[in-house]
Amino acid sequence: QCDLQGLWRNELGSNMTLWATNAAGTFSGSYHTAVAATNKQILVSPLQGAQQHPSAKRHPTFGFTVQWQFSDSTTAFVGQCFVDRRGKETLETTWLLREEVLSHKDTWKATRVGTSVFTRIK
Ligand code: BTN
């Protein structure tokens, strides 16, 4: 079983805490990014997510959004939790970061995409 609850770190050094998933599969948490696309001071930001089949699945898929407290952007992550033979858990994710642009003409440059792997630190 893969448990999303806990403290996780990705390859950028960002940390996130995920609180326990409820019976409906939804969860919340906080995200402390190590990097930002803005020059503003980084603040810990809340996240809201949902996991599929919270009790039944061994490698559940999930998604969450981060509402950044220091920028106008939003990031959505989707991913899957894996456990290797030694019991090491990883969250393999893909993210989209939408930044606020002042005109729809700038939409073409408003979205970044990437992948990220989180490992449990607590
Ligand atoms: C912003 O720069 O407007 C908000 C912070 C965005 C941080 C991004 S989200 C995807 C990537 N993974 C991280 O841990 N941080 C960056």
Side-chain angles (χ1 to χ4, degrees):
Q1 282 272 349
C2 227
D3 187 8
L4 292 186
Q5 182 181 357
L7 180 57
W8 301 87
R9 180 172 294 158
N10 71 10
E11 68 290 334
L12 295 167
S14 298
N15 292 329
M16 69 172 175
T17 301
L18 301 183
W19 304 115
T21 299
N22 66 22
T26 63
F27 61 88
S28 58
S30 64
Y31 202 105
H32 191 177
T33 184
V35 297
T38 67
N39 291 324
K40 303 210 181 115
Q41 193 197 331
I42 290 169
L43 297 175
V44 176
S45 298
L47 66 85
Q48 301 287 340
Q51 177 194 333
Q52 287 293 25
H53 309 296
S55 54
K57 282 274 177 114
R58 279 167 46 83
H59 304 297
T61 64
F62 61 87
F64 62 84
T65 58
V66 186
Q67 182 195 21
W68 302 109
Q69 300 294 292
F70 58 95
S71 92
D72 303 313
S73 304
T74 298
T75 302
F77 287 82
V78 288
Q80 192 171 351
C81 186
F82 291 100
V83 202
D84 72 11
R85 275 175 228 158
R86 293 175 178 176
K88 188 187 172 194
E89 294 158 296
T90 52
L91 305 180
E92 304 201 5
T93 69
T94 301
W95 53 264
L96 293 169
L97 169 63
R98 174 69 187 211
E99 86 177 75
E100 185 183 283
V101 289
L102 295 182
S103 163
H104 63 90
K105 289 180 186 155
D106 290 327
T107 285
W108 64 271
K109 63 174 179 180
T111 306
R112 293 175 173 83
V113 62
T115 58
S116 192
V117 178
F118 294 84
T119 54
R120 186 185 289 285
I121 54 175
K122 224 173 184 181

